Amino acid sequence: DDTVIETKINALLLDAAGVNVTNFRYRSINGHVFLFGRALSTQEKSKAAAIVRNIENVRSVKNLAKVRAKK
């Protein structure tokens, strides 16, 4: 169920060190997750995608987040 996946994404990104959940948006469609937003580094972008990939019933992750450091 996509609602369950999105709830888990929010909880896990909120708890993850090095990932600012407020910079990311996400949508799950039939288990295919699309990540949007702005990561402050390539490490943050990769970590967010890895966290989402490990959630049960996630079929794929399309990471569309942009990397932009704070000015």
Side-chain angles (χ1 to χ4, degrees):
D1 185 40
D2 292 319
T3 305
V4 173
I5 290 172
E6 290 178 8
T7 302
K8 287 181 182 179
I9 291 170
N10 189 54
L12 291 173
L13 290 182
L14 190 61
D15 287 345
V19 177
N20 188 346
V21 70
T22 60
N23 290 343
F24 291 94
R25 301 290 177 264
Y26 38 84
R27 183 64 57 215
S28 179
I29 302 169
N30 296 324
H32 301 282
V33 177
F34 297 86
L35 253 169
F36 308 95
R38 183 189 82 181
L40 300 178
S41 67
T42 53
Q43 292 84 3
E44 183 182 25
K45 180 179 175 178
S46 298
K47 187 172 185 176
I51 289 168
V52 173
R53 242 182 238 108
N54 288 325
I55 294 173
E56 187 178 354
N57 297 325
V58 170
R59 296 179 182 180
S60 68
V61 177
K62 181 79 170 174
N63 194 345
L64 302 169
K66 305 289 184 203
V67 177
R68 284 192 219 129
K70 283 186 177 178
K71 294 183 179 184

